Amino acid sequence: MTAYPHMLAPLDLGFTTLKNRVLMGSMHTGLEETKDWNRVAEFYADRARGGVALMVTGGIGPNMEGSVLPGASMMTSDKDVANHSIVTARVHEAGGKIAMQILHAGRYAYGPKCVAPSPVKSPISPFPPTELDEEGIEKQITDIVNAAVLAQQAGYDGVEIMGSEGYFLNQFLVTHTNKRTDRWGGSYENRMRLPIEVVRRTREAVGTDFIIIYRLSMIDLVPNGSTFDEVVQLAKEIEKAGATIINTGIGWHEARIPTIATSVPRAAFAWVTKKLMGQVSIPVITSNRINTPEVAEEVLATGCADMVSMARPMLADADFVNKAAAGQGDRIAPCIACNQACLDHTFSGKLTSCLVNPRACHETELVVAKAAAPKKVAIVGAGPAGLSTAITAAQRGHAVTVFDKSDEIGGQLNMAKQVPGKEEFWGLVDWYRVMLADLGVTLKLGKAVGAGDLSGFDEVVIATGVSPRDPAIPGQDRANVLSYIDVLRHKKPVGKRVAVIGAGGIGFDVSEFLLEEGHSPTIDLPQWMKEWGVSDPAEHRSGLAPEGPQPGKPEREVTLLQRKAKAHGKDLGKTTGWIHRATLKMKGVSFVGGVNYEKIDDEGLHISFGEARENPTLIACDTVVLCAGQISDRSLADALEAKGVHCHVIGGADVAAELDAKRAINQGTRLALTF
Ligand code: NAP
Ligand code: SF4
């Protein structure tokens, strides 16, 4: 008897059956743009072998003007059909099903030729769109339908028509972006004409036995978005027009409410999809922040949807469904929703991967094969760098021993998991623990090792991490000064007025920790919705609460300082930095930059500004917390090298600057593939 009966139940679509209720949602990985179709095929085939019922590709443009970027992948020619056929053949060989997403970006297209219902520039693009005339609209429909026909020729099992997230079809639906007065604008009947026409004509062109998923925005989260009555009306018309499945879209890309970041509660929007259940007779998929089989099962068992979409979790672990079906849910590498190696890469023009699983999108390059000769491997440091080395080395058949002076594994992950909004790190540390046990890795915790303890190993890996940087501020040894480790690990008492020195990732984390004092809106959905101003779209158009964000009362008064004069948090994650900045601003944190730290005394922190050390100012506070960055802890590596013992130095022990778990895990995994 499985623990996930709803998630693993097949879904009969009439002309075909999906083997379970898990859809791999669309992601822009950048793989298609590499034009290495073998690599693209292997990425999807790996996930098909992992048991997912149906996958949706990244968005493929139906024409130049609708493509997300100049040079982005399109489906317009026989050559495209031939390339995509490599993917579909490999997926089918692996027993999977795959649909191609047709993505017309409209005014979100990053190029001067972008088109839209009206010439209203988007706040997230520098390019004002050209308003389409009747002929132009007709061309867009024809191109989308043509892309679907070509996808069918390429062997896809279906297409997903992207109608949400503020893209082209969504732009016609709402007065926020559609100011037209012809038959494509004005009344809601007119505004929804285009999406319906696209689905109707696509169905006509592809025949009956081809999956058409329509991705429908159920809560726009932007001013003047759809009401829920309009959502239901559209869904019914989309069903009539011939869609097989309706998938949920949450929020436009320009919305200023987080929808998928790690601080968003798990399955935070499943209740929105549930409102559509029973209103249409075709299956409905829900999405966003579903990342474990338990959450997926709960969402389905409580009638929120017929299927769940998980995208990033399939980067973290291609075998998600098979492991769940085999009762090995605790071995699924968890997506922690950090966006660091997926969306942050996409938006920086880099190939997607995954912080937890560097093999994602690198399947052909990083192959975990059994080592020709098993070795004895010693790894010092049980943080992310050491643990990822250990797991990959053990998978390759090496005998691995991990040492750490702490009596628990996880290193700095154990501090991250204390931060409100970073609860997912608990699951990551748990996963490492399960995997180490499963793979027979020997753990020697609670004792610092010296160079003399490491003889008899074939490979020695030093992953001893980092130590806090000494900012050398007069008065920093006083009792009213703490380090981030004192706060996050040792939970030392902190006063009500706090100055945080250093506005890097840790300075932001510590500030969030101090503002919440043990409570986290991430595990309190009603509170999280209130904080961000999310309401029921059936009550308030677009799901925006009329009173706006209502942050809870902060537990402390926090001043966050840095020496540089640029804006705080500029170097945080590309897709998540704005959330951290907004959170701190909402809770009244003062951002002070361009400072010199003069001294700390009983009154608080004394600073001055600029090179001339002008404008002396007191930040009156009870506690000063030092988050001034970190330096490599290389003492063991140096001692070994002095004895002539060769060792591999990785993670923070190698380079502390800009260290994060992504680099540490990537470096550890890659190292373990070399010996
Ligand atoms: P960091 O990001 O390098 O920030 C260090 C901070 O300390 C900076 O604000 C820096 O600003 C300040 N600083 C540097 N030298 C100083 C000195 N001598 N005296 C006073 N202030 C000094 O390091 P971190 O915050 O320790 O984070 C470590 C790593 O973990 C980073 O790579 C970070 O990205 C990662 N991390 C990421 C997240 C995340 O949300 N993604 C969260 C936590 C940690 P000024 O030089 O301007 O003063
Ligand atoms: Fe999930 Fe982070 Fe991996 Fe992206 S990088 S798939 S958010 S764990």
Side-chain angles (χ1 to χ4, degrees):
M1 175 62 188
T2 171
Y4 318 113
H6 295 85
M7 187 184 91
L8 298 174
L11 180 63
D12 186 358
L13 297 176
F15 58 92
T16 188
T17 299
L18 303 182
K19 59 185 169 193
N20 55 59
R21 304 300 178 102
V22 181
L23 175 98
M24 179 172 113
S26 174
M27 289 176 281
H28 307 294
T29 60
L31 276 175
E32 283 87 352
E33 284 74 22
T34 65
K35 303 202 184 343
D36 181 346
W37 292 93
N38 176 49
R39 188 173 181 176
V40 185
E42 207 38 45
F43 169 75
Y44 288 111
D46 213 24
R47 271 103 199 129
R49 283 190 288 270
V52 63
L54 176 63
M55 296 176 286
V56 182
T57 66
I60 305 291
N63 54 28
M64 292 278 263
E65 60 271 31
S67 293
V68 277
L69 280 173
S73 195
M74 293 194 291
M75 178 58 96
T76 54
S77 67
D78 292 347
K79 178 95 178 67
D80 296 330
V81 171
N83 289 335
H84 283 259
S85 301
I86 300 169
V87 178
T88 56
R90 194 82 59 86
V91 166
H92 291 152
E93 213 175 273
K97 285 188 165 45
I98 184 162
M100 187 189 88
Q101 189 189 69
I102 304 174
L103 171 62
H104 190 309
R107 70 179 195 148
Y108 281 169
Y110 202 81
K113 298 215 161 101
C114 64
V115 295
S118 303
V120 185
K121 195 181 87 60
S122 119
I124 57 171
S125 159
F127 302 104
T130 303
E131 180 175 295
L132 287 164
D133 58 15
E134 182 72 31
E135 201 184 321
I137 290 176
E138 190 55 41
K139 176 181 184 298
Q140 306 311 311
I141 301 173
T142 308
D143 289 348
I144 294 172
V145 174
N146 183 47
V149 170
L150 294 177
Q152 192 176 33
Q153 284 171 18
Y156 281 105
D157 300 279
V159 288
E160 177 173 82
I161 297 174
M162 183 43 151
S164 65
E165 261 74 7
Y167 287 115
F168 184 60
L169 299 179
N170 213 172
Q171 290 159 23
F172 272 78
L173 285 171
V174 304
T175 55
H176 179 63
T177 39
N178 184 346
K179 314 283 182 198
R180 304 177 74 94
T181 52
D182 60 1
R183 68 192 190 107
W184 304 102
S187 68
Y188 190 61
E189 280 67 25
N190 282 353
R191 283 183 273 130
M192 67 177 178
R193 190 183 307 281
L194 181 65
I196 296 166
E197 201 54 21
V198 163
V199 174
R200 194 184 63 74
R201 288 207 226 165
T202 302
R203 175 56 76 204
E204 229 170 63
V206 296
T208 50
D209 296 355
F210 190 66
I211 298 169
I212 298 179
I213 307 169
Y214 185 83
R215 184 103 175 256
L216 194 152
S217 181
M218 295 198 197
I219 180 165
D220 291 334
L221 301 173
V222 290
N224 303 318
S226 295
T227 64
F228 205 72
D229 282 347
E230 289 169 345
V231 167
V232 173
Q233 202 182 336
L234 176 66
K236 289 181 171 174
E237 292 299 328
I238 290 292
E239 176 179 7
K240 269 196 242 158
T244 323
I245 300 174
I246 290 179
N247 192 2
T248 302
I250 302 289
W252 287 36
H253 284 321
E254 68 205 64
R256 292 289 86 185
I257 292 167
T259 54
I260 59 164
T262 192
S263 57
V264 175
R266 286 177 170 183
F269 294 96
W271 60 274
V272 181
T273 312
K274 190 175 187 182
K275 295 171 80 71
L276 191 65
M277 292 291 280
Q279 305 273 6
V280 288
S281 53
I282 52 176
V284 177
I285 306 176
T286 195
S287 174
N288 288 46
R289 286 290 281 119
I290 297 167
N291 67 337
T292 69
E294 286 73 23
V295 178
E297 180 64 18
E298 167 82 10
V299 160
L300 294 167
T302 52
C304 294
D306 300 293
M307 271 185 97
V308 290
S309 168
M310 289 184 261
R312 296 171 300 169
M314 299 294 158
L315 292 177
D317 199 328
D319 293 324
F320 186 104
V321 177
N322 281 352
K323 286 182 182 173
Q328 299 184 330
D330 57 355
R331 281 141 174 110
I332 296 172
C335 166
I336 57 171
C338 63
N339 287 357
Q340 279 178 252
C342 52
L343 280 169
D344 285 351
H345 278 205
T346 307
F347 284 96
S348 318
K350 288 193 231 159
L351 197 64
T352 286
S353 187
C354 172
L355 175 139
V356 171
N357 172 25
R359 290 196 66 242
C361 298
H362 296 74
E363 286 75 12
T364 52
E365 178 195 344
L366 302 179
V367 179
V368 183
K370 286 282 174 209
K375 290 181 173 179
K376 286 180 76 182
V377 179
I379 299 169
V380 186
L387 295 177
S388 56
T389 316
I391 287 176
T392 307
Q395 284 169 335
R396 299 192 59 220
H398 296 307
V400 181
T401 306
V402 174
F403 301 88
D404 201 296
K405 60 179 185 294
S406 167
D407 53 12
E408 58 177 357
I409 64 157
Q412 301 232 49
L413 300 177
N414 290 315
M415 282 192 278
K417 72 189 189 188
Q418 305 299 334
V419 177
K422 291 203 164 176
E423 288 76 9
E424 293 294 353
F425 281 89
W426 286 89
L428 182 55
V429 178
D430 289 347
W431 175 75
Y432 276 123
R433 194 175 298 113
V434 169
M435 293 304 289
L436 294 176
D438 210 34
L439 291 161
V441 171
T442 305
L443 279 179
K444 297 209 168 166
L445 302 178
K447 185 178 166 295
V449 287
D453 302 316
L454 296 168
S455 55
F457 290 97
D458 303 310
E459 304 284 349
V460 175
V461 179
I462 302 301
T464 41
V466 290
S467 312
R469 178 185 284 128
D470 175 4
I473 302 170
Q476 68 180 25
D477 295 331
R478 299 170 58 86
N480 59 345
V481 184
L482 301 175
S483 75
Y484 64 89
I485 299 172
D486 294 329
V487 175
L488 294 176
R489 181 171 292 156
H490 305 307
K491 306 280 168 57
K492 291 206 175 156
V494 179
K496 282 289 176 192
R497 299 167 310 155
V498 188
V500 176
I501 290 185
I506 292 181
F508 270 76
D509 274 1
V510 164
S511 301
E512 290 185 36
F513 177 85
L514 294 173
L515 292 165
E516 294 293 345
E517 186 72 80
H519 172 256
S520 173
T522 300
I523 48 174
D524 180 348
L525 181 58
Q527 173 65 21
W528 180 87
M529 287 172 59
K530 201 168 157 212
E531 294 225 330
W532 287 97
V534 179
S535 81
D536 186 339
E539 283 170 29
H540 303 110
R541 182 178 280 282
S542 209
L544 292 181
E547 61 277 15
Q550 299 287 306
K553 191 175 166 312
E555 290 294 330
R556 293 188 172 80
E557 199 182 291
V558 175
T559 307
L560 180 60
L561 301 108
Q562 64 180 11
R563 296 171 307 171
K564 54 181 105 48
K566 70 178 184 181
H568 280 51
K570 272 280 173 220
D571 299 327
L572 296 177
K574 206 165 171 75
T575 62
T576 51
W578 70 272
I579 302 169
H580 295 295
R581 287 190 292 273
T583 303
L584 263 49
K585 273 190 191 146
M586 279 199 293
K587 304 253 159 141
V589 171
S590 308
F591 291 162
V592 183
V595 308
N596 309 297
Y597 303 111
E598 299 296 349
K599 65 172 180 178
I600 301 167
D601 61 17
D602 272 350
E603 292 180 298
L605 173 66
H606 296 260
I607 56 171
S608 64
F609 291 85
E611 275 181 30
R613 306 189 97 88
E614 291 162 337
N615 195 10
T617 304
L618 167 69
I619 308 289
C621 60
D622 310 305
T623 310
V624 176
V625 184
L626 304 178
C627 307
Q630 303 165 325
I631 53 165
S632 297
D633 192 343
R634 289 188 58 101
S635 49
L636 182 56
D638 292 343
L640 283 168
E641 271 158 27
K643 287 179 75 171
V645 179
H646 171 72
C647 61
H648 309 273
V649 185
I650 61 168
D654 176 27
V655 182
E658 289 172 23
L659 170 73
D660 61 22
K662 181 183 80 173
R663 179 155 63 77
I665 293 171
N666 189 22
Q667 197 180 11
T669 305
R670 284 173 184 268
L671 172 68
L673 295 176
T674 62
F675 48 66

